[in-house]
Structure formats: structure tokens, C-alpha cells
Amino acid sequence: MSSVSRLQTVRAVCAKDLRIEQRSKVLTSQIVPFALVMLVLFAFALDGDVILERTAPGLVWLAMLFSSMIIVQRSFVVEIADGALDALRVAGADMSGVFWGKWFALIVQLVVLEAVLIVGAIVMYGIDLQISGLVLLVTSSISATCGLSAVSTIYAGLASGVRGRESLLPLLVLPVASPVLIGATRAAEAAFGAGGTVVSEGWPWLGLLSVFAVVFSFGGSLAFGPLIDD
Amino acid sequence: MTLDSPSTVSTTSRRGTATAATRVLGALTIVMIGWLGVFGLLLSPADRDQGDAVRIMYVHVPSVWLAYLAFIVTALASAVHLFGKSHSLQADRVAGASAEIGVVFMAVTLVTGMLWGRITWGVYWQWDARLTTTALLFISYIGYLAVRGLEGSRSQRARRSAIVGLLAVLEVPLVHWSVKLWRSLHQEATVLGTDLDVSLDGLMLFSLFVGVVAFTLLFLWLLLHRSRVLMMIDLSAETGLDAALAQRRAEGGVTP
Amino acid sequence: MGVELSAQCDESVAVTLRDVVVLLGDFPALASLDLSVNRGEVVMLTGPNGAGKTSLLRVCAGLVPIARGEGMVMGADLRHQRASVRSRVGMVGHSNGLYDDLTVRENLEFWGSLIGAGDDELRQAMSIMGLDGRLASVRVRGLSAGQRRRTAFAILVVRRAGLWLLDEPHAGLDSDARDEVDEVLRRASASGATVMLSSHELDRAQQLATKEVRLAGGVVVGDPQ
């Protein structure tokens, strides 16, 4: 029965996750509004156009990080609500494939959220984005998202079966994800030209973000099976 | 660090976790810490610039050393558990014990570091690579201990912890790299370097050396005792199991 | 002992457990349980709540590790080959393992794509379980409890599970739906599957079962051959 290739498992899991999201619309009807509210609240808390323009990259990525916790929780609630994760285990599904599938589906959702947040920041915080900055912004955001998705998927999988997972997940993910926050924020800063930075200053961060993404994606695909499957 | 010979088990279960070897080790540790007190507080000179404040170093530096040593041991023991043929639970206990010690001494490091920083730099905290990495690592290992406390079968908990223990190792260089890159772009913020800023003379260096030796012994001593305590917890679960089994079978009317 | 046990475990035996202990935390859910089930049997597990029925089914599914003892399920060792055990059995417990936001067909397609089942097999499974026609494109969220269970059974058919482990398959169903479940189980058994089920519907299960195993206190207390 194990004639199925890993790629097929990845595709099946990813398509399934995205279809569920498309049907339930949790991302568009709850998480995107939540993230936008955060942008508004940051503006209240920091009060002042100059500060907001300067800190916009950090605020966007903080909002991303917190919202991603909710999205990834949701991605695993779907699996345990009716015992599907157990069923996956019983069906002998390739857990690495499951990891990559969930990883990719999460990336798609996070990229949508990012796009909304960046547009939101441009509108609300008065940011000026040039074409050269846009290229940096897109590439760095995608690398950062790959890393963030990997870390979140690993630890959400670990926490999925246990009591108190809602509070455990941020404790595990946020310290590990701090390089992503630093890297993505600095790169976005350079892309926006915030605080007098120039675009070229942003590129070194892409290296860090890519290494992070590669290390934790492959680490996760190795670790996911043994973490879930016992 | 082989602790699980049958004789050890029977001795430890009767008389606590001490053996002749650990008693000697404990005595040595006390002597060395006494020495450290003498060297650190009395014999070594005050610093030219920092005065007596420099003496915090004799606790601070050995604590950092011990904490990182402990985390390295955790990582190694996790690898032994995960990749070893027997998936040794002893390795898992060593990993757990070592991480607990590491977290405690990481806290000591952070507190002494902040006090020292307040005196020498005028601030408790600097966002430099070393401090920030240490703080994030501290939180990560608290997370690791939380994972150790999760429910599950014994082997499942051990495997889960080992994986998280190894993932933490991937984390350290990445966090350090990112913070370092970040701070290097903000040179103006680091007016004060966080290097020791102390010109160490021979006696100071020797006192530091005494501190490192004393804390290493302390680590070994704590590690031996703590992993034996963890072993006894596992053993008592094992022996408790027989009673629990008998009780459970009696529910069904089956007598042994 | 392992060698000896696997030697005994020929083609005609579905499950052999010897002195199996299963722990839930510190609590021994199964306390040195012995059990033997031949292929093609329909075994009914009875006993009070907390007797260990669910744990017995879960251990046979390879979902929980055994703390002591040894066991073979469908020719695979429960201690070292739990992955192969799992791929040979199917379990429907209190939960059905379905995705609420997907339709019946989409659920089946998902599971089918994980094991490489073709469209024909899916269609066949759906028609066996009476899920073809209108029901196929209804989201699982909108199904009745009985229809959900049938969908879960259809997945077992698609997976060609040789051992069906069913934890209270009658629970939460109305009387018509229970009849349907019985009918499905008869057909599964007729097609060669071994079935182990727990049920509080004693009369109903007795008509179905070829063998009754009574559990109490985590052990088998009655095994009338």
C-alpha cells in the first residue's frame, strides 16, 4: 500500500488544508481582521506619524507572528477535532509528507496575511514603497515565511495531542522564531527606507532568512514523524 | 557517568542518591567553592577601573560556562537517546537533569550579568549578541522543560524531549548570528562593549580558573544526584506499576 | 519469547496478545491481558465502563505502545512494527477521523490519495456504504451520526483493512442506523475482514458476533470459546 510517493501525500495534505480554509474562511473572516486591528492598536499605542513610519516593519512582523500562532493552531485543530490525526497514523501516512503538506498550506495562508498587512501598513502608516524595495520585500517575506511556517508546524505538531497546547505553542515557537522577526523586520525596514536605511542594506538578511528556512524545514521534515507518531 | 549498575540501584534506593564517589565529589566541590571565595573575595585584587565590582565576574563567568556546558550535555545525551540502538532512558534522564541545572545557572548568569552591567555600564541590559542569545536560550530551555513535563508514555516523552533538545541546538547559532548581524548595523548603540573590559592579572585569571573548576565539579555533582533522583522516580513508577497492576486486576476479580 | 510468539502466529490468527500492559500515564488500562482472535471472527468486547475495551482496541490499532508483554496483530509485532500493524488495520472510535468542511467524496478522495486508491475503488466503497448519489457531495458537517459512521467505514473499505477495530459503533445512532451498521459489519465479515467491536447493545452485538470476550479490570474475565 505504500506505493504512494511522498509528493502525492504532500499534495493531498496541502490541497486538503487549503480547501478546508477556503470553505471555513477562518483566515479571511477572523484572522485578517484581527491582524488589522493590531495595526490600528499599535497606532494608538505609539501615537505619532514619525514613530509609526519608523517602526512599521517591526509592527507588521509582530502582527504576523502573533496571527500565525492562531493560524497554525487552527491547522492542527482541524486534524484532531474528529481524530483525523490518529486516522492518519493508522493509515500509515508518510509523516514527512504530511509535514511538507501542512508547511506549504501554512505558507500560502501566511503570504495572504502578509500582503494584507503590508498594504495596511502602507495605507495607515504612510509608507512609501519603491520598485527596488518591493523586490527585496517580496523575497525576504517569502523566505521568512518558509522558516516561520516550518518552526510553527513542528511545534504545533508536537503540542497537538496534549493539554494546554494553546499556551505551550507560543512559548516554544516565539524564541526560536526570533531570528525570523529580526531578519524580516530589518529587511522590510530597508525595503521601506525606514529610518534612512537604503535597500542594499536589506540583502544580507536574505541569507540569514534562507538558512533559517532551510535548516528548520528539513529539520522539521525529519523530526515531525517521530514527534507525532508514537 | 554510568549510574545504572544494579548495585548502584539498590544502594541508592536504600540510602538516597549518594555513593562514595559522589560524596568525595561533593566534598571536593565544597572545598573548591571555599577556595573560590578566598581567591575571589580576598586574595585577588580589585580592578583598576571597576573596583570591587569586578568580583561578580568570579560567579558570572563560571555560571555562563556551566550553563552552556549543561546545554551541550543535554544535546549530546538527547542525541545518544535518539540515535543510540537501545534508546537509553538513562541518556534521557541525563539530558533532563542537565537542562534543569542549565536553566538555573542561566538564571544566575543573567542576574549577575545584569547587576554587573548596572555597576560598570550604568544599565542592566544591553542588546548585544551575547546577552540577547543567552536570554532567548534561557526561554527556549524553559520551553524544553515544559515539553519534558507533558503527558505521554515514558518512551514517548523521552523521544519528544530528545527532539526538542536537538532542535534547540539548531537554534543557538541562528539566533546568535541574527542578533549579531542586527547589532553590527547599529554600532552607535554599543558605546560600551560587553567584552570583559577588565585587564586580568595573573591572580585574577587564576581565581577565574578556580571558579570554572569549582562550578564544573558542582555541575557533575548536581548532575549525578539529579539524574539518580529521576531514575528513582522512574523506578518507583515501575514498582508502583506492579501494585497498580494487581489492584487493577482485582477490579476484574482476578487474584494473582 | 518473541520468536516463539511469531512462530505461533500463522496465517489464521489475526490477534495474539500475551501479558500485555498498557499505561495511560501511571494507570494500567490493560493489566497483563491475554487474547487470541482468529481471522474472520467477529469478536464482541463487553464489560463495564473503564474495563479497558477502548485501550484494547487502540493497542491493536498500534496507536498506543505496550509497556509490558508482547503481541502480534495481522502478522506484525506490536513492539517493533507498529507502523506495519497500523497499515493493516482500521479503527473507527468515538471519533470518525473525518474533516467536517469537506464533502463525503472529498474525504474519501483524500484518504484514497494517501494510499493510492483509484476512482473505481472509491466509487465501490461509496456504493457499499450507500453513500453514492446525493450524499456524496454533502459536507460531512451536515451528515447525521449514522451517515458519518458509514463514511468512516467507507474509508476502511477503501483502505482494504483486514482487521476492523470499532469502538462502540452503535453509540449515538438511532435504531435504523444501528441496523445499517450491523448490515455493514456482516458484509465486511463476509468479505473476509476480522472485526473486533465494543458495544453496549448486547443483544444486537450477540447476533453479529461469533465470539464474546468479557473484560473487567484491564483483563479478560470471560472468553467462552
Side-chain angles (χ1 to χ4, degrees):
Chain A
M1 286 269 206
S2 57
S3 57
V4 181
S5 74
R6 173 164 300 171
L7 196 63
Q8 238 168 317
T9 307
V10 175
R11 205 182 306 147
V13 170
C14 177
K16 181 262 302 172
D17 272 13
L18 290 178
R19 183 171 284 160
I20 288 175
E21 171 46 42
Q22 187 202 334
R23 298 261 166 85
S24 64
K25 298 194 174 58
V26 171
L27 179 68
T28 46
S29 68
Q30 295 172 13
I31 295 170
V32 166
F34 167 70
L36 289 175
V37 166
M38 265 197 274
L39 285 192
V40 174
L41 292 181
F42 286 148
F44 293 160
L46 295 179
D47 186 35
D49 297 343
V50 183
I51 303 182
L52 279 177
E53 202 186 334
R54 175 76 188 77
T55 52
L59 299 180
V60 165
W61 274 98
L62 268 183
M64 265 302 292
L65 213 54
F66 295 141
S67 312
S68 74
M69 291 296 101
I70 305 175
I71 302 182
V72 72
Q73 298 267 20
R74 157 94 191 141
S75 146
F76 278 86
V77 163
V78 170
E79 300 293 344
I80 51 178
D82 194 30
L85 196 61
D86 271 352
L88 278 172
R89 293 168 57 201
V90 175
D94 170 12
M95 283 298 161
S96 272
V98 174
F99 172 83
W100 289 113
K102 296 198 82 68
W103 172 81
F104 195 76
L106 189 58
I107 288 176
V108 172
Q109 300 178 52
L110 289 175
V111 165
V112 170
L113 183 62
E114 261 157 40
V116 173
L117 279 172
I118 288 169
V119 172
I122 288 174
V123 173
M124 288 194 267
Y125 297 167
I127 290 162
D128 209 18
L129 190 59
Q130 307 298 321
I131 292 295
S132 57
L134 188 66
V135 176
L136 171 65
L137 189 65
V138 169
T139 44
S140 66
S141 299
I142 288 176
S143 326
T145 307
C146 293
L148 182 60
S149 172
V151 170
S152 312
T153 307
I154 300 169
Y155 288 108
L158 180 153
S160 63
V162 301
R163 280 190 295 270
R165 57 178 166 273
E166 295 84 0
S167 47
L168 180 65
L169 187 66
L171 171 65
L172 293 174
V173 172
L174 295 180
V176 186
S178 48
V180 173
L181 180 67
I182 296 176
T185 308
R186 295 289 92 76
E189 225 165 56
F192 292 158
T197 48
V198 290
V199 172
S200 62
E201 282 178 50
W203 291 105
W205 293 103
L206 201 61
L208 171 83
L209 292 170
S210 313
V211 171
F212 187 95
V214 169
V215 165
F216 278 97
S217 303
F218 284 94
S221 91
L222 291 177
F224 195 71
L227 273 179
I228 299 280
D229 206 14
D230 198 306
Chain B
M1 263 180 286
T2 49
L3 334 164
D4 48 351
S5 67
S7 65
T8 324
V9 174
S10 62
T11 341
T12 51
S13 47
R14 254 185 287 115
R15 273 183 274 156
T17 54
T19 56
T22 58
R23 284 206 186 87
V24 172
L25 187 60
L28 257 173
T29 307
I30 291 171
V31 170
M32 285 305 287
I33 287 177
W35 258 41
L36 176 62
V38 172
F39 274 95
L41 294 175
L42 302 174
L43 297 181
S44 73
D47 184 63
R48 182 160 30 86
D49 304 318
Q50 298 185 11
D52 281 332
V54 77
R55 300 185 196 281
I56 296 179
M57 176 179 72
Y58 302 124
V59 178
H60 179 71
V61 172
S63 302
V64 186
W65 152 250
L66 191 158
Y68 276 91
L69 174 69
F71 294 151
I72 290 168
V73 169
T74 296
L76 291 177
S78 299
V80 168
H81 171 80
L82 211 54
F83 303 116
K85 269 216 177 87
S86 60
H87 297 296
S88 148
L89 284 182
Q90 182 58 31
D92 173 64
R93 290 187 285 260
V94 169
S98 190
E100 288 175 11
I101 301 167
V103 165
V104 170
F105 280 87
M106 204 57 124
V108 172
T109 303
L110 288 170
V111 171
T112 54
M114 282 193 265
L115 294 176
W116 196 13
R118 181 79 178 88
I119 296 170
T120 54
W121 312 325
V123 288
Y124 287 109
W125 191 258
Q126 291 243 18
W127 290 102
D128 94 322
R130 206 174 325 168
L131 264 67
T132 312
T133 307
T134 305
L136 284 171
L137 207 56
F138 177 63
I139 299 166
S140 296
Y141 277 89
I142 290 177
Y144 170 81
L145 293 182
V147 168
R148 288 195 71 84
L150 293 179
E151 70 228 61
S153 72
R154 186 68 189 84
S155 60
Q156 185 186 9
R157 280 185 287 142
R159 167 137 48 130
R160 200 155 50 190
S161 314
I163 292 170
V164 175
L166 286 177
L167 286 174
V169 177
L170 294 182
E171 179 192 346
V172 181
L174 286 166
V175 169
H176 190 80
W177 179 17
S178 64
V179 182
K180 207 166 164 146
L181 197 55
W182 169 39
R183 294 323 300 177
S184 68
L185 298 178
H186 293 68
Q187 273 307 336
E188 73 281 0
T190 38
V191 180
L192 301 155
T194 48
D195 287 323
L196 284 178
D197 284 334
V198 177
S199 48
L200 295 171
D201 75 2
L203 198 53
M204 290 166 91
L205 212 54
F206 184 73
S207 308
L208 210 51
F209 172 73
V210 171
V212 167
V213 173
F215 274 57
T216 307
L217 292 175
L218 179 63
F219 169 70
L220 287 176
W221 184 77
L222 286 171
L223 182 66
L224 285 167
H225 277 286
R226 184 59 190 155
S227 37
R228 281 176 189 165
V229 169
L230 293 177
M231 179 167 65
M232 286 164 83
I233 291 173
D234 282 354
L235 277 178
S236 83
E238 275 283 301
T239 43
L241 177 57
D242 286 323
L245 276 178
Q247 195 187 355
R248 176 85 168 125
R249 292 171 70 88
E251 273 173 45
V254 180
T255 43
Chain C
M1 284 229 314
V3 178
E4 190 192 323
L5 189 66
S6 36
Q8 284 175 11
C9 207
D10 56 51
E11 283 297 298
S12 66
V13 181
V15 176
T16 321
L17 302 179
R18 189 185 286 165
D19 286 331
V20 164
V21 174
V22 166
L23 296 177
L24 299 176
D26 292 334
F27 175 73
L30 298 185
S32 296
L33 177 139
D34 295 295
L35 180 71
S36 175
V37 174
N38 291 324
R39 293 205 185 189
E41 279 188 306
V42 177
V43 177
M44 170 174 81
L45 304 175
T46 59
N49 285 331
K53 299 187 293 282
T54 298
S55 295
L56 175 56
L57 292 168
R58 282 178 67 84
V59 79
C60 292
L63 281 173
V64 287
I66 55 180
R68 287 190 193 171
E70 54 186 342
M72 303 285 291
V73 171
M74 304 304 280
D77 192 320
L78 271 182
R79 283 170 308 174
H80 314 298
Q81 301 171 295
R82 273 200 289 145
S84 0
V85 168
R86 287 185 208 138
S87 62
R88 295 168 202 196
V89 307
M91 175 154 179
V92 176
H94 300 288
S95 52
N96 297 304
L98 303 175
Y99 298 104
D100 274 353
D101 287 308
L102 301 183
T103 66
V104 170
R105 182 183 293 116
E106 284 164 349
N107 264 289
L108 281 165
E109 278 167 356
F110 173 67
W111 293 103
S113 64
L114 287 183
I115 54 164
D119 276 352
D120 289 345
E121 288 166 80
L122 298 186
R123 233 185 323 250
Q124 200 186 350
M126 275 162 45
S127 84
I128 291 176
M129 292 300 154
L131 294 167
D132 35 10
R134 194 190 59 84
L135 269 183
S137 45
V138 173
R139 289 192 202 172
V140 168
R141 189 185 298 285
L143 296 181
S144 70
Q147 290 162 337
R148 290 176 75 101
R149 192 128 316 148
R150 265 152 51 198
T151 310
F153 288 161
I155 293 171
L156 297 191
V157 173
V158 171
R159 291 191 45 222
R160 293 194 221 101
L163 173 61
W164 289 31
L165 302 161
L166 309 175
D167 197 6
E168 309 224 8
H170 296 111
L173 303 185
D174 61 26
S175 141
D176 285 350
R178 288 175 192 174
D179 289 341
E180 284 173 23
V181 168
D182 291 353
E183 185 49 36
V184 166
L185 295 185
R186 268 191 205 100
R187 266 185 265 164
S189 171
S191 71
T194 310
V195 180
M196 286 171 73
L197 75 153
S198 68
S199 184
H200 285 299
E201 298 279 309
L202 292 186
D203 295 342
R204 190 178 283 279
Q206 255 154 4
Q207 284 179 13
L208 210 61
T210 57
K211 172 170 165 177
E212 178 184 343
V213 170
R214 187 167 170 75
L215 297 187
V219 288
V220 175
V221 289
D223 183 3
Q225 290 301 322

